Each structure stands twice: as structure tokens, then as C-alpha cells.
Amino acid sequence: ATICAGSSTVLTAAFTNTIASSVYEISDDNGATWTTVTGTTYTVTPSTTRNYFVRITNSPCATVTSAPAVTVTVSPAPVAGTATANTPTGCVGVTAPTITLTGSSAVIVGWEISTDQVTWTSFGNPGAATITTDNTLVGDRWYRAEVRDLLNVCSHVKSNMVKITIAPVPTATLTGSATICAGSSTVLTAAFTN
């Protein structure tokens, strides 16, 4: 069995030809130590990968130990890490901020994008610790990474959200009389947008 750290799994034993005085024991350390148990199902919550055996003692016959071991592999829970942008603002069609995920101990499933922090869609880039954001549309977008543990048995986790604002391209125009007499003045008018 393979489980996520902090999770449990159920082991089932089968004993035959037992007598009333038989004692049932289980070991999670390759038989170094044994614990008396009752019944045939055991819920275990190991913190690290363990090898389990069961055995029958106090029998007219010799002690009998199960074989082979049942290995319960424990996968560490994923750590999402922290996403940060190199700059929070880009320019439509010109510059696009990048976002980098650091401190993650897991596999990056991919990135997600949202316009409202509620509905998220895939932004692709599986395995990429650094992404280039979308600068094709003006407005605010939020990004986050989705990660998983190495064995993919734990629940996926999401990083923090990073807000990126894409601004429109600014314009500048200047108007006014172009021809004047020496020593005269004229008025020039500037117009700026975005």
C-alpha cells in the first residue's frame, strides 16, 4: 500500500489452524519488536515507510510468521511553496511579468489563471517553476501553481495567488499652430491616454 503522510490504511491478516490459546502479534519494524493484537484487520498510520508482519505464538507448534512483508510506503505531503512575480505590472502586447515558484518540495502539476479569484482555468506549464504571464488582454489576472507529492497519492495543493495587472499601451499627441512670427508665442496642447 502507498499512503500520504498522516493517512491510514487497513491491513488484513489470515490465520488458520489456530487454538484458543494462540496469541496474535504484529510488527512494523521487520520483526524487531512485536505488539499483541486481536482480530484480523489492523488500521495503521505509519509516519515513514514500514514493513509489516504478523505471527502466531503460544501454539503447540513453533511460532509462525507471515511472509513476505507487507510494505506500507509513506509519501510526504506536498509543500506548495511561494509564488512571486518579478514585477506586478506589464504592458499589453509589449511586456509580460514572470512568476516563479520557490520552496516547493513537490511536483508542479501546472499553473492556473483567474480573472476573479473564484473561477480558475488551466494555464498549462506542467513542471515549470517559472512562467511568463499572459499579456494579450488588458486587466487584472491572478495566477497560482498546483503541486502534488512525488507518488501522487496525497491531495494536490495550491500555492498563493499572484496578481498581475496588464496595462494598455499609452499614447501621446501634441497639437498647436506650427508657423509663427519670430518673437511670437503659440499654444501647444498635449493629450495623453492610458
Side-chain angles (χ1 to χ4, degrees), residues 46-128:
S47 58
T48 58
T49 297
R50 294 285 186 172
N51 293 322
Y52 289 87
F53 293 90
V54 292
R55 73 179 182 182
I56 303 172
T57 63
N58 199 30
S59 165
C61 302
T63 296
V64 176
T65 303
S66 61
V70 172
T71 300
V72 177
T73 302
V74 178
S75 181
V79 175
T82 302
T84 54
N86 66 331
T87 178
T89 307
C91 181
V92 64
V94 180
T95 58
T98 60
I99 300 175
T100 300
L101 185 69
T102 58
S104 175
S105 65
V107 176
I108 300 173
V109 177
W111 290 78
E112 297 177 336
I113 185 172
S114 174
T115 59
D116 58 8
Q117 304 177 71
V118 176
T119 302
W120 294 84
T121 57
S122 173
F123 192 63
N125 295 280

Side-chain angles (χ1 to χ4, degrees), residues 6 28 32 42 71 99 120 122 124 139 174 184 189:
D28 67 355
Y42 319 112
T71 300
I99 300 175
W120 294 84
S122 173
L174 186 65
S184 299
T189 303

Side-chain angles (χ1 to χ4, degrees):
T2 302
I3 62 174
C4 184
S7 300
S8 301
T9 189
V10 176
L11 305 180
T12 301
F15 303 105
T16 60
N17 302 323
T18 60
I19 60 175
S21 62
S22 294
V23 175
Y24 311 110
E25 297 176 323
I26 190 170
S27 173
D28 67 355
D29 55 7
N30 290 308
T33 59
W34 295 87
T35 302
T36 301
V37 292
T38 58
T40 57
T41 58
Y42 319 112
T43 300
V44 296
T45 312
S47 58
T48 58
T49 297
R50 294 285 186 172
N51 293 322
Y52 289 87
F53 293 90
V54 292
R55 73 179 182 182
I56 303 172
T57 63
N58 199 30
S59 165
C61 302
T63 296
V64 176
T65 303
S66 61
V70 172
T71 300
V72 177
T73 302
V74 178
S75 181
V79 175
T82 302
T84 54
N86 66 331
T87 178
T89 307
C91 181
V92 64
V94 180
T95 58
T98 60
I99 300 175
T100 300
L101 185 69
T102 58
S104 175
S105 65
V107 176
I108 300 173
V109 177
W111 290 78
E112 297 177 336
I113 185 172
S114 174
T115 59
D116 58 8
Q117 304 177 71
V118 176
T119 302
W120 294 84
T121 57
S122 173
F123 192 63
N125 295 280
T130 299
I131 62 167
T132 300
T133 57
D134 180 8
N135 70 344
T136 60
L137 296 174
V138 171
D140 295 333
R141 302 288 187 275
W142 286 264
Y143 295 83
R144 68 185 183 186
E146 178 182 357
V147 303
R148 66 168 176 83
D149 62 294
L150 294 175
L151 300 180
N152 201 19
V153 294
C154 302
S155 298
H156 293 191
V157 294
K158 309 294 176 66
S159 73
N160 58 299
M161 297 180 291
V162 176
K163 180 183 177 182
I164 298 295
T165 300
I166 300 299
V169 176
T171 62
T173 57
L174 186 65
T175 58
S177 178
T179 304
I180 61 173
C181 181
S184 299
S185 301
T186 189
V187 175
L188 303 179
T189 303
F192 304 101
T193 61
N194 304 325

